[in-house]
Amino acid sequence: MSGRGTGEHPWDVWQLFFETSARLTIELETRLKEHGCSLMDYQVLLLLRNAAHHRLRMGELAQRMVFSPSRLSYQIGVLEKRGWVRRRPCPQDRRGLEAELTGEGLAAFRRLRPAHARDVEELFFDALEGDDAQRLHAIMERLARTVHPS
């Protein structure tokens, strides 16, 4: 077996990754909730903010969020009620739907971004040293290819 952990048992690195990822996600979620937003809300806003014309097809957004179509539909519904996102027919084919960031959604993202960036810096980046970020990036790209080959 390749990629063994550095702990006493080869599965220690997996357990550490699993537990640490969960704790990091929970802590980021808790901190965003203080600002009235969930981590998944923020991720949708981020993806739409970075997309061309601030919109993505629902299928692509579900894939990037690693959500089922029904879970994404629910999440978009939550954001629609806040006025942050709207669904609209795809201009290319009119059969599919896109999620589009509204002006209110963009304003919410801009309001949330500084606090979330500080939290990520404190909880994640501050723990990295030297070339850790580059090495972690390479590892995560390899892992991504095993679970989602191109």
Side-chain angles (χ1 to χ4, degrees), residues 124-135:
F124 184 77
F125 289 113
D126 285 355
L128 302 181
E129 300 173 349
D131 68 343
D132 286 351
Q134 291 82 13
R135 289 184 309 117

mmCIF file with all atom_site columns, all heavy atoms in Angstrom, residues 124-135:
data_model
loop_
_atom_site.group_PDB
_atom_site.id
_atom_site.type_symbol
_atom_site.label_atom_id
_atom_site.label_alt_id
_atom_site.label_comp_id
_atom_site.label_asym_id
_atom_site.label_entity_id
_atom_site.label_seq_id
_atom_site.pdbx_PDB_ins_code
_atom_site.Cartn_x
_atom_site.Cartn_y
_atom_site.Cartn_z
_atom_site.occupancy
_atom_site.B_iso_or_equiv
_atom_site.pdbx_formal_charge
_atom_site.auth_seq_id
_atom_site.auth_comp_id
_atom_site.auth_asym_id
_atom_site.auth_atom_id
_atom_site.pdbx_PDB_model_num
ATOM 1  N N   . PHE A 1 124 ? -6.625 27.796 8.870  1.00 0.00 ? 124 PHE A N   1
ATOM 2  C CA  . PHE A 1 124 ? -5.993 26.943 7.878  1.00 0.00 ? 124 PHE A CA  1
ATOM 3  C C   . PHE A 1 124 ? -4.591 27.431 7.515  1.00 0.00 ? 124 PHE A C   1
ATOM 4  O O   . PHE A 1 124 ? -3.601 26.777 7.792  1.00 0.00 ? 124 PHE A O   1
ATOM 5  C CB  . PHE A 1 124 ? -6.884 26.846 6.626  1.00 0.00 ? 124 PHE A CB  1
ATOM 6  C CG  . PHE A 1 124 ? -6.371 25.923 5.573  1.00 0.00 ? 124 PHE A CG  1
ATOM 7  C CD1 . PHE A 1 124 ? -6.500 24.545 5.709  1.00 0.00 ? 124 PHE A CD1 1
ATOM 8  C CD2 . PHE A 1 124 ? -5.748 26.412 4.442  1.00 0.00 ? 124 PHE A CD2 1
ATOM 9  C CE1 . PHE A 1 124 ? -6.018 23.678 4.734  1.00 0.00 ? 124 PHE A CE1 1
ATOM 10 C CE2 . PHE A 1 124 ? -5.255 25.561 3.461  1.00 0.00 ? 124 PHE A CE2 1
ATOM 11 C CZ  . PHE A 1 124 ? -5.395 24.191 3.612  1.00 0.00 ? 124 PHE A CZ  1
ATOM 12 N N   . PHE A 1 125 ? -4.511 28.597 6.900  1.00 0.00 ? 125 PHE A N   1
ATOM 13 C CA  . PHE A 1 125 ? -3.226 29.057 6.378  1.00 0.00 ? 125 PHE A CA  1
ATOM 14 C C   . PHE A 1 125 ? -2.184 29.306 7.457  1.00 0.00 ? 125 PHE A C   1
ATOM 15 O O   . PHE A 1 125 ? -0.999 29.052 7.233  1.00 0.00 ? 125 PHE A O   1
ATOM 16 C CB  . PHE A 1 125 ? -3.406 30.306 5.502  1.00 0.00 ? 125 PHE A CB  1
ATOM 17 C CG  . PHE A 1 125 ? -4.065 30.015 4.197  1.00 0.00 ? 125 PHE A CG  1
ATOM 18 C CD1 . PHE A 1 125 ? -5.325 30.511 3.912  1.00 0.00 ? 125 PHE A CD1 1
ATOM 19 C CD2 . PHE A 1 125 ? -3.447 29.225 3.243  1.00 0.00 ? 125 PHE A CD2 1
ATOM 20 C CE1 . PHE A 1 125 ? -5.946 30.238 2.706  1.00 0.00 ? 125 PHE A CE1 1
ATOM 21 C CE2 . PHE A 1 125 ? -4.054 28.937 2.035  1.00 0.00 ? 125 PHE A CE2 1
ATOM 22 C CZ  . PHE A 1 125 ? -5.302 29.446 1.768  1.00 0.00 ? 125 PHE A CZ  1
ATOM 23 N N   . ASP A 1 126 ? -2.599 29.788 8.628  1.00 0.00 ? 126 ASP A N   1
ATOM 24 C CA  . ASP A 1 126 ? -1.622 30.040 9.696  1.00 0.00 ? 126 ASP A CA  1
ATOM 25 C C   . ASP A 1 126 ? -0.940 28.764 10.177 1.00 0.00 ? 126 ASP A C   1
ATOM 26 O O   . ASP A 1 126 ? 0.146  28.826 10.757 1.00 0.00 ? 126 ASP A O   1
ATOM 27 C CB  . ASP A 1 126 ? -2.275 30.751 10.882 1.00 0.00 ? 126 ASP A CB  1
ATOM 28 C CG  . ASP A 1 126 ? -2.545 32.226 10.611 1.00 0.00 ? 126 ASP A CG  1
ATOM 29 O OD1 . ASP A 1 126 ? -2.148 32.727 9.530  1.00 0.00 ? 126 ASP A OD1 1
ATOM 30 O OD2 . ASP A 1 126 ? -3.176 32.879 11.466 1.00 0.00 ? 126 ASP A OD2 1
ATOM 31 N N   . ALA A 1 127 ? -1.560 27.604 9.950  1.00 0.00 ? 127 ALA A N   1
ATOM 32 C CA  . ALA A 1 127 ? -0.966 26.332 10.383 1.00 0.00 ? 127 ALA A CA  1
ATOM 33 C C   . ALA A 1 127 ? 0.059  25.801 9.372  1.00 0.00 ? 127 ALA A C   1
ATOM 34 O O   . ALA A 1 127 ? 0.809  24.881 9.689  1.00 0.00 ? 127 ALA A O   1
ATOM 35 C CB  . ALA A 1 127 ? -2.062 25.291 10.596 1.00 0.00 ? 127 ALA A CB  1
ATOM 36 N N   . LEU A 1 128 ? 0.090  26.373 8.175  1.00 0.00 ? 128 LEU A N   1
ATOM 37 C CA  . LEU A 1 128 ? 1.001  25.898 7.137  1.00 0.00 ? 128 LEU A CA  1
ATOM 38 C C   . LEU A 1 128 ? 2.361  26.574 7.272  1.00 0.00 ? 128 LEU A C   1
ATOM 39 O O   . LEU A 1 128 ? 2.456  27.724 7.684  1.00 0.00 ? 128 LEU A O   1
ATOM 40 C CB  . LEU A 1 128 ? 0.417  26.165 5.746  1.00 0.00 ? 128 LEU A CB  1
ATOM 41 C CG  . LEU A 1 128 ? -0.951 25.554 5.460  1.00 0.00 ? 128 LEU A CG  1
ATOM 42 C CD1 . LEU A 1 128 ? -1.376 25.899 4.036  1.00 0.00 ? 128 LEU A CD1 1
ATOM 43 C CD2 . LEU A 1 128 ? -0.967 24.062 5.683  1.00 0.00 ? 128 LEU A CD2 1
ATOM 44 N N   . GLU A 1 129 ? 3.392  25.822 6.919  1.00 0.00 ? 129 GLU A N   1
ATOM 45 C CA  . GLU A 1 129 ? 4.761  26.338 6.966  1.00 0.00 ? 129 GLU A CA  1
ATOM 46 C C   . GLU A 1 129 ? 5.460  26.047 5.647  1.00 0.00 ? 129 GLU A C   1
ATOM 47 O O   . GLU A 1 129 ? 5.104  25.098 4.949  1.00 0.00 ? 129 GLU A O   1
ATOM 48 C CB  . GLU A 1 129 ? 5.545  25.652 8.099  1.00 0.00 ? 129 GLU A CB  1
ATOM 49 C CG  . GLU A 1 129 ? 4.956  25.857 9.466  1.00 0.00 ? 129 GLU A CG  1
ATOM 50 C CD  . GLU A 1 129 ? 5.653  25.027 10.545 1.00 0.00 ? 129 GLU A CD  1
ATOM 51 O OE1 . GLU A 1 129 ? 6.458  24.128 10.194 1.00 0.00 ? 129 GLU A OE1 1
ATOM 52 O OE2 . GLU A 1 129 ? 5.374  25.266 11.719 1.00 0.00 ? 129 GLU A OE2 1
ATOM 53 N N   . GLY A 1 130 ? 6.475  26.835 5.349  1.00 0.00 ? 130 GLY A N   1
ATOM 54 C CA  . GLY A 1 130 ? 7.314  26.583 4.178  1.00 0.00 ? 130 GLY A CA  1
ATOM 55 C C   . GLY A 1 130 ? 6.504  26.330 2.920  1.00 0.00 ? 130 GLY A C   1
ATOM 56 O O   . GLY A 1 130 ? 5.669  27.134 2.530  1.00 0.00 ? 130 GLY A O   1
ATOM 57 N N   . ASP A 1 131 ? 6.766  25.178 2.301  1.00 0.00 ? 131 ASP A N   1
ATOM 58 C CA  . ASP A 1 131 ? 6.078  24.835 1.053  1.00 0.00 ? 131 ASP A CA  1
ATOM 59 C C   . ASP A 1 131 ? 4.854  23.939 1.282  1.00 0.00 ? 131 ASP A C   1
ATOM 60 O O   . ASP A 1 131 ? 4.392  23.264 0.365  1.00 0.00 ? 131 ASP A O   1
ATOM 61 C CB  . ASP A 1 131 ? 7.049  24.190 0.064  1.00 0.00 ? 131 ASP A CB  1
ATOM 62 C CG  . ASP A 1 131 ? 7.518  22.813 0.501  1.00 0.00 ? 131 ASP A CG  1
ATOM 63 O OD1 . ASP A 1 131 ? 7.359  22.468 1.692  1.00 0.00 ? 131 ASP A OD1 1
ATOM 64 O OD2 . ASP A 1 131 ? 8.051  22.077 -0.345 1.00 0.00 ? 131 ASP A OD2 1
ATOM 65 N N   . ASP A 1 132 ? 4.312  23.950 2.498  1.00 0.00 ? 132 ASP A N   1
ATOM 66 C CA  . ASP A 1 132 ? 3.132  23.130 2.805  1.00 0.00 ? 132 ASP A CA  1
ATOM 67 C C   . ASP A 1 132 ? 1.981  23.375 1.832  1.00 0.00 ? 132 ASP A C   1
ATOM 68 O O   . ASP A 1 132 ? 1.322  22.428 1.398  1.00 0.00 ? 132 ASP A O   1
ATOM 69 C CB  . ASP A 1 132 ? 2.622  23.394 4.228  1.00 0.00 ? 132 ASP A CB  1
ATOM 70 C CG  . ASP A 1 132 ? 3.476  22.783 5.315  1.00 0.00 ? 132 ASP A CG  1
ATOM 71 O OD1 . ASP A 1 132 ? 4.400  21.997 5.001  1.00 0.00 ? 132 ASP A OD1 1
ATOM 72 O OD2 . ASP A 1 132 ? 3.222  23.103 6.500  1.00 0.00 ? 132 ASP A OD2 1
ATOM 73 N N   . ALA A 1 133 ? 1.722  24.642 1.503  1.00 0.00 ? 133 ALA A N   1
ATOM 74 C CA  . ALA A 1 133 ? 0.580  24.955 0.627  1.00 0.00 ? 133 ALA A CA  1
ATOM 75 C C   . ALA A 1 133 ? 0.762  24.317 -0.745 1.00 0.00 ? 133 ALA A C   1
ATOM 76 O O   . ALA A 1 133 ? -0.176 23.717 -1.283 1.00 0.00 ? 133 ALA A O   1
ATOM 77 C CB  . ALA A 1 133 ? 0.392  26.467 0.497  1.00 0.00 ? 133 ALA A CB  1
ATOM 78 N N   . GLN A 1 134 ? 1.969  24.409 -1.301 1.00 0.00 ? 134 GLN A N   1
ATOM 79 C CA  . GLN A 1 134 ? 2.223  23.833 -2.618 1.00 0.00 ? 134 GLN A CA  1
ATOM 80 C C   . GLN A 1 134 ? 2.130  22.306 -2.565 1.00 0.00 ? 134 GLN A C   1
ATOM 81 O O   . GLN A 1 134 ? 1.566  21.682 -3.465 1.00 0.00 ? 134 GLN A O   1
ATOM 82 C CB  . GLN A 1 134 ? 3.608  24.248 -3.148 1.00 0.00 ? 134 GLN A CB  1
ATOM 83 C CG  . GLN A 1 134 ? 3.715  25.717 -3.492 1.00 0.00 ? 134 GLN A CG  1
ATOM 84 C CD  . GLN A 1 134 ? 3.978  26.602 -2.266 1.00 0.00 ? 134 GLN A CD  1
ATOM 85 O OE1 . GLN A 1 134 ? 4.306  26.137 -1.183 1.00 0.00 ? 134 GLN A OE1 1
ATOM 86 N NE2 . GLN A 1 134 ? 3.799  27.898 -2.444 1.00 0.00 ? 134 GLN A NE2 1
ATOM 87 N N   . ARG A 1 135 ? 2.688  21.701 -1.519 1.00 0.00 ? 135 ARG A N   1
ATOM 88 C CA  . ARG A 1 135 ? 2.635  20.244 -1.397 1.00 0.00 ? 135 ARG A CA  1
ATOM 89 C C   . ARG A 1 135 ? 1.206  19.769 -1.179 1.00 0.00 ? 135 ARG A C   1
ATOM 90 O O   . ARG A 1 135 ? 0.779  18.784 -1.783 1.00 0.00 ? 135 ARG A O   1
ATOM 91 C CB  . ARG A 1 135 ? 3.562  19.758 -0.272 1.00 0.00 ? 135 ARG A CB  1
ATOM 92 C CG  . ARG A 1 135 ? 5.036  19.909 -0.646 1.00 0.00 ? 135 ARG A CG  1
ATOM 93 C CD  . ARG A 1 135 ? 6.038  19.363 0.374  1.00 0.00 ? 135 ARG A CD  1
ATOM 94 N NE  . ARG A 1 135 ? 5.800  19.851 1.720  1.00 0.00 ? 135 ARG A NE  1
ATOM 95 C CZ  . ARG A 1 135 ? 5.482  19.070 2.754  1.00 0.00 ? 135 ARG A CZ  1
ATOM 96 N NH1 . ARG A 1 135 ? 5.373  17.767 2.619  1.00 0.00 ? 135 ARG A NH1 1
ATOM 97 N NH2 . ARG A 1 135 ? 5.288  19.584 3.946  1.00 0.00 ? 135 ARG A NH2 1
#
